[in-house]
Amino acid sequence: MNRDVSITTWILIAFGIVNIYFLTTGKLSFGLEGLGLITAVALTLAIYSFLYKDNPAFKIVENLFVGVAMGYWIIITWFNILKPDVLEPLIVPLFKDTGKSPQYIVIIPTILGIFMLLRFSTKLSWLSRWSFAFVVGLGSGITIPNFVHAFILKQMEPTFAPLYTGDILGSINTFLILLGVVSVLIYFFFSVEHKGVVGGVSVIGVWFLMVAFGASFGFTVMARMSLLIGRVQFLLRDWLGIIQ
Amino acid sequence: MERLLSIDRRYIFVFVALAVTIPLLIKFDLPVPVTKEVKGIYNKIDSLPEGAHVLIAFDFDPASKEELLPMALALLHHCFRKNVKVVGMTLNPGGTGLANSAITDTGKQYEKIQGEDYVFLGYKTGVELVMINMGENIYSAFPKDFYGNATVDLPVLKGVQSLTDFDYVIDLASGSSIEAWIAFGKEKYDFDLGAGCTAVIGPDMYPFLQAKQINGLMSGLKGAAEYEILINRKSTAVAGMSPQSVVHVIVVLFVIFGNFLYFMSGRKR
């Protein structure tokens, strides 16, 4: 028996003993709730087993996650989109007297949606271009003016604000925004050689970028650790019951 | 020196695991100062009169539950305490179950009635198109709620015709939905918008705060902990702050240690 098999066996035995103890002492219920909790714990431990090394338990759970997520999405899409927006307003009134006339306008988006799925057919995949043309045209028309307004014009406003805001800290903040925007823009302006004043300002731009990357990395560490903390809280509180 | 530089990374995982577990077992409180970004959201909800309408978009799925669910629960507790009408929705199909149970379970704690005090509209595909549709007519965007009830008949939506009728809109996002709410919601229909997001996307949201396109921001578990302190209901987010601080110290020490070894080993770039 190699080392990895031995470790896995001992972990499974320990996991089994702990759960049998909890079930027999009534800390976990024999019903769906208890079974669900044990399953969640097993899946959590299997996912974290990857930190030791890649293994079959991790692979199984990884694939299980993809399958369950896809199944869940399909069910949600059926009950929230296809049933209320296509089946009930269009298909059902065609075959059953619901007191409402069928909404024939729904045929157009439904057909465009079906065309998208024809990508999988070698003979009919050209029809999917109509759907994509519609999506791209509509998307561009809606997105471009709104994005220009919200993400360029409105974002420029703080840069154009008067430098003196009435208090020293606020003024420093406004100055930093102006300096950051100008120096980073100059750093990404490659038509002029970065020498002299331009070079100096672009170095300030690099510093602003480095601070931004550092902040981003720090926040990412915080996010990943928050996920770990949440899972450890789940194991210690909901499963083992040793914290409140 | 070379041995230390090529240390098995699993030792680091053990340190991180201990740094998370020990502070949870040995409870100790570290101060969690409340930032003005989080207070912006709190003050807005606190200033709303009874019966005002708040829309909460639960645009996250179980993958970011640990960060965003505490935020959602804290917001719901605050809204229900203030007797504010809560309307929930999601643009993320994976978040439907989470959002529904969060809103109904919290509502029950305050003896609120579904359809009268709160409603969960469910999931709708289309993101920006849903927002534009809601901006024109919310009943057209969501003809039925999550349980199949006709939304026009719901007392909770009385006085609400479109997005502009909401007193406050909050997006809890694990993706790019905050940008969409700004571009296709706030800027187009002019309502007050607050945001909660995962820490990963937190830094990207500060320009919107600066440009006053959002009036408040909760970022990551820290943002949720601040909100829990503001509403005086310390829960999982506050409990997570001690391990968070300890693990950050560990990470910083490892970075310093790694750099120290790197320079001491005389490695060239």
Side-chain angles (χ1 to χ4, degrees):
Chain A
M1 189 186 289
N2 70 31
R3 190 165 148 240
D4 294 341
V5 175
S6 166
I7 290 171
T8 311
T9 310
W10 282 111
I11 287 173
L12 285 173
I13 290 169
F15 185 69
I17 290 170
V18 169
N19 284 313
I20 288 166
Y21 171 75
F22 284 156
L23 287 168
T24 50
T25 54
K27 282 188 177 179
L28 283 179
S29 65
F30 267 102
L32 278 176
E33 201 180 323
L35 186 69
L37 192 69
I38 292 169
T39 310
V41 172
L43 297 178
T44 303
L45 295 176
I47 285 289
Y48 280 119
S49 70
F50 182 79
L51 295 175
Y52 177 67
K53 66 158 56 169
D54 201 1
N55 62 77
F58 171 76
K59 283 267 187 280
I60 290 168
V61 175
E62 190 186 28
N63 288 305
L64 186 70
F65 174 75
V66 175
V68 169
M70 184 49 70
Y72 187 73
W73 279 37
I74 289 168
I75 293 293
I76 291 293
T77 305
W78 169 255
F79 282 104
N80 285 263
I81 313 292
L82 294 173
K83 188 168 174 271
D85 292 348
V86 180
L87 188 78
E88 287 172 359
L90 178 67
I91 313 287
V92 174
L94 283 174
F95 301 100
K96 199 173 155 187
D97 184 19
T98 57
K100 289 176 186 173
S101 54
Q103 292 179 28
Y104 292 109
I105 192 76
V106 177
I107 292 173
I108 298 168
T110 306
I111 287 175
L112 286 173
I114 292 166
F115 279 2
M116 276 215 178
L117 297 174
L118 295 177
R119 292 279 314 164
F120 300 111
S121 161
T122 45
K123 282 184 183 172
L124 298 171
S125 66
W126 60 275
L127 282 168
S128 66
R129 288 184 204 150
W130 292 7
S131 305
F132 283 110
F134 179 79
V135 169
V136 170
L138 182 77
S140 306
I142 287 173
T143 305
I144 292 169
N146 286 298
F147 268 43
V148 168
H149 173 69
F151 299 142
I152 299 177
L153 300 179
K154 290 294 271 186
Q155 284 293 309
M156 282 164 75
E157 277 181 20
T159 320
F160 292 149
L163 278 178
Y164 185 67
T165 59
D167 68 303
I168 298 296
L169 287 174
S171 303
I172 292 171
N173 205 14
T174 320
F175 175 72
L176 284 174
I177 290 170
L178 179 68
L179 183 65
V181 171
V182 172
S183 60
V184 171
L185 282 175
I186 285 177
Y187 173 72
F188 284 111
F189 188 70
F190 301 116
S191 300
V192 177
E193 202 174 349
H194 288 190
K195 275 181 176 175
V197 178
V198 176
V201 177
S202 71
V203 168
I204 297 172
V206 173
W207 276 96
F208 269 97
L209 286 171
M210 291 298 134
V211 170
F213 295 150
S216 211
F217 177 68
F219 269 88
T220 304
V221 170
M222 185 165 90
R224 302 299 175 235
M225 290 308 147
S226 301
L227 301 183
L228 175 64
I229 290 164
R231 284 293 83 193
V232 175
Q233 278 178 329
F234 164 73
L235 293 175
L236 297 179
R237 184 189 54 217
D238 298 1
W239 183 44
L240 296 175
I242 50 180
I243 61 168
Q244 289 298 312
Chain B
M1 194 71 78
E2 283 300 318
R3 261 186 75 187
L4 277 172
L5 274 169
S6 56
I7 190 172
D8 190 336
R9 61 183 186 150
R10 286 177 292 195
Y11 288 115
I12 297 171
F13 297 155
V14 172
F15 272 104
V16 171
L18 291 174
V20 169
T21 311
I22 293 171
L24 285 172
L25 294 171
I26 309 161
K27 283 191 89 175
F28 62 94
D29 288 332
L30 290 171
V32 183
V34 178
T35 55
K36 66 174 182 179
E37 291 84 15
V38 177
K39 213 160 186 181
I41 297 175
Y42 174 84
N43 286 343
K44 177 66 191 178
I45 293 179
D46 217 49
S47 68
L48 295 175
E50 280 192 15
H53 290 90
V54 169
L55 174 71
I56 302 179
F58 298 79
D59 297 334
F60 60 94
D61 61 8
S64 40
K65 169 191 160 219
E66 311 296 357
E67 287 183 281
L68 292 167
L69 192 62
M71 273 181 211
L73 293 174
L75 281 171
L76 287 167
H77 276 280
H78 193 196
C79 288
F80 287 134
R81 274 183 204 170
K82 292 281 302 174
N83 292 322
V84 165
K85 309 267 186 203
V86 177
V87 179
M89 60 167 282
T90 179
L91 299 169
N92 186 330
T96 317
L98 272 178
N100 183 47
S101 60
I103 201 165
T104 47
D105 292 351
T106 316
K108 275 178 196 163
Q109 288 178 41
Y110 290 88
E111 295 175 346
K112 300 291 180 187
I113 301 164
Q114 185 173 301
E116 282 184 28
D117 302 306
Y118 67 87
V119 64
F120 180 57
L121 299 174
Y123 161 69
K124 216 56 165 176
T125 187
V127 190
E128 48 280 295
L129 297 176
V130 177
M131 291 167 195
I132 292 170
N133 203 348
M134 288 176 80
E136 302 300 327
N137 187 339
I138 195 167
Y139 303 104
S140 158
F142 288 95
K144 289 179 177 175
D145 72 359
F146 185 64
Y147 294 101
N149 305 307
T151 46
V152 281
D153 301 330
L154 295 174
V156 67
L157 288 171
K158 195 180 171 192
V160 175
Q161 196 62 36
S162 68
L163 278 177
T164 47
D165 297 319
F166 282 102
D167 298 282
Y168 196 38
V169 178
I170 307 160
D171 184 33
L172 301 176
S174 61
S176 56
S177 58
I178 297 174
E179 285 99 320
W181 274 107
I182 290 169
F184 302 101
K186 196 245 177 331
E187 293 298 343
K188 208 167 162 58
Y189 300 105
D190 193 25
F191 51 80
D192 286 333
L193 178 69
C197 62
T198 57
V200 174
I201 56 173
D204 297 341
M205 295 301 120
Y206 279 83
F208 302 122
L209 207 58
Q210 192 71 37
K212 296 186 172 54
Q213 290 174 300
I214 49 175
N215 82 323
L217 175 69
M218 286 186 284
S219 185
L221 197 65
K222 169 76 164 58
E226 289 175 40
Y227 209 93
E228 284 183 358
I229 285 177
L230 281 169
I231 61 165
N232 202 20
R233 179 188 164 272
K234 291 183 183 177
S235 188
T236 50
V238 171
M241 281 301 98
S242 303
Q244 186 102 62
S245 303
V246 173
V247 84
H248 282 189
V249 171
I250 294 278
V251 170
V252 170
L253 289 176
F254 272 124
V255 170
I256 294 169
F257 186 60
N259 278 281
F260 175 74
L261 289 178
Y262 180 83
F263 288 110
M264 290 301 286
S265 68
R267 282 191 186 184
K268 302 287 178 208
R269 285 187 185 185

